[in-house]
Amino acid sequence: MKTPKSLEPLVRDGLVDEVIRPLKSGKEAAVYVVLSEGEIRCAKVYKEANKRGFHKQSLYQEGRKVRNTRQARAMEKNTSFGRKQQEEVWQNAEVDALYRLAAAGVRVPQPYNFVEGVLLMELVTDEHGSAAPRLNDLVLTREEAIEYHGILIKEVVRMLCAGIVHGDLSEFNVLVDAHGPVIIDLPQAVDAAANNNAPGMLERDVNNMAAYFSRFAPELLGTSYGKEIWKIYESGNLTPDVKLTGHFKSSNKQADVHSIMREINDARDDAIRRKYEHED
């Protein structure tokens, strides 16, 4: 096929030998099957902001690092330079997440290179070597649904142990190869420790999985893995092999406001005392 303009620089630089065919075009990117370094891979070409269908970026951008204060100011003022930098941060979020998650043993496509808004990565295939289907394209047995749900809950845990929440996990962002589910599409990935929206995003990701798999195994709709996982994470005890129950009991115990205020005042008094001791 004719080489798309967006892939021409990679062909010139020898990173892509041949563009074989389009694979899919989504709300954020167009994906092509390519030949690179003698292997069949895929090239994800990010769409410009005004051509994307995703409009809730601000929720995901909280806590994302920028290179310097000039970049941060430009992004805040929404200047042309700032919008360009914002795009760079947005695209790099997926690249960084893929490298971190692959290193942590999460089943994601292996990234190979990121050049001029194009991400070269592994083409996930089925047992016949064709592009792997999305989870949404499959009809599952009850047993398969329970198995895949369990696998994906473990992957969510492994992701969180690496400090990342997917932020947009659904049956449309999971491929199924010969070995099971593979998580894809991570430009919305957030830093669990730096984004105040992370707990809600994690719970939504997990609930999306329960809602989908409950079509085949209705009992999964009654699980509460999201709240349970986040509570363990906040306690500092989350590990990839943590044993989960799928149940969560919220505390109805009221906070002792008087005790809390007393502790705050004591801490303030101690801080004032230390300040004057230091000045003396």
Side-chain angles (χ1 to χ4, degrees):
M1 63 170 285
K2 182 180 178 181
T3 301
K5 187 174 181 180
S6 55
L7 293 178
E8 288 177 356
L10 283 78
V11 173
R12 283 198 306 267
D13 294 342
L15 296 172
V16 169
D17 303 315
E18 179 187 353
V19 180
I20 299 173
R21 63 181 176 87
L23 181 59
K24 70 169 186 173
S25 182
K27 60 188 178 183
E28 296 155 9
V31 182
Y32 298 87
V33 177
V34 300
L35 181 66
S36 174
E37 297 183 335
E39 293 184 359
I40 302 296
R41 296 175 178 172
C42 64
K44 183 172 186 176
V45 181
Y46 292 94
K47 294 181 178 179
E48 297 175 8
N50 60 355
K51 297 179 181 177
R52 286 201 306 256
F54 197 84
H55 301 296
K56 298 181 180 178
Q57 291 189 32
S58 59
L59 294 176
Y60 299 87
Q61 289 172 342
E62 180 182 324
R64 289 185 175 176
K65 297 178 181 178
V66 296
R67 289 195 303 266
N68 52 53
T69 54
R70 175 173 176 260
Q71 185 186 40
R73 286 196 303 270
M75 289 169 63
E76 286 178 4
K77 294 179 180 179
N78 200 32
T79 64
S80 57
F81 172 74
R83 288 191 293 273
K84 181 180 179 182
Q85 299 306 304
Q86 198 168 61
E87 281 300 291
E88 184 178 311
V89 171
W90 183 256
Q91 295 169 10
N92 283 335
E94 175 162 40
V95 179
D96 294 343
L98 283 174
Y99 276 105
R100 285 172 62 181
L101 295 176
V106 179
R107 295 207 73 213
V108 294
Q110 178 65 46
Y112 295 114
N113 217 323
F114 179 59
V115 181
E116 298 190 29
V118 180
L119 173 61
L120 281 174
M121 58 184 172
E122 172 192 3
L123 176 65
V124 180
T125 60
D126 62 17
E127 63 270 24
H128 305 295
S130 301
R134 292 183 304 178
L135 183 59
N136 185 63
D137 296 326
L138 302 179
V139 176
L140 305 174
T141 65
R142 176 178 174 275
E143 290 72 22
E144 287 173 332
I146 292 173
E147 178 188 359
Y148 286 174
H149 178 263
I151 290 172
L152 285 165
I153 291 298
K154 288 181 179 178
E155 293 293 83
V156 167
V157 168
R158 197 178 296 275
M159 289 175 70
L160 190 54
C161 288
I164 292 175
V165 173
H166 187 288
D168 193 32
L169 188 61
S170 74
E171 62 271 26
F172 301 101
N173 291 333
V174 176
L175 301 178
V176 180
D177 69 4
H179 304 288
V182 179
I183 295 173
I184 62 169
D185 291 342
L186 289 138
Q188 292 88 23
V190 300
D191 186 321
N195 191 309
N196 290 320
N197 302 298
M201 290 179 183
L202 178 89
E203 187 172 355
R204 185 180 62 196
D205 284 352
V206 171
N207 288 345
N208 284 345
M209 291 292 92
Y212 174 73
F213 286 113
S214 68
R215 300 176 192 176
F216 311 101
E219 62 268 32
L220 294 175
L221 203 55
T223 57
S224 300
Y225 284 105
K227 283 185 169 64
E228 182 184 12
I229 291 168
W230 191 263
K231 182 180 179 182
I232 299 172
Y233 170 73
E234 282 191 314
S235 73
N237 295 316
L238 191 68
T239 62
D241 57 354
V242 67
K243 301 297 182 184
L244 300 172
T245 66
H247 303 290
F248 177 81
K249 185 176 181 181
S250 59
S251 174
N252 294 320
K253 183 179 179 181
Q254 292 185 340
D256 186 344
V257 178
H258 294 295
S259 296
I260 294 173
M261 291 305 299
R262 186 166 57 248
E263 290 180 12
I264 292 173
N265 290 333
D266 288 345
R268 181 193 60 198
D269 293 340
D270 287 342
I272 293 172
R273 186 179 66 253
R274 285 195 298 270
K275 177 178 182 295
Y276 283 114
E277 288 175 352
H278 179 72
E279 290 176 352
D280 292 341

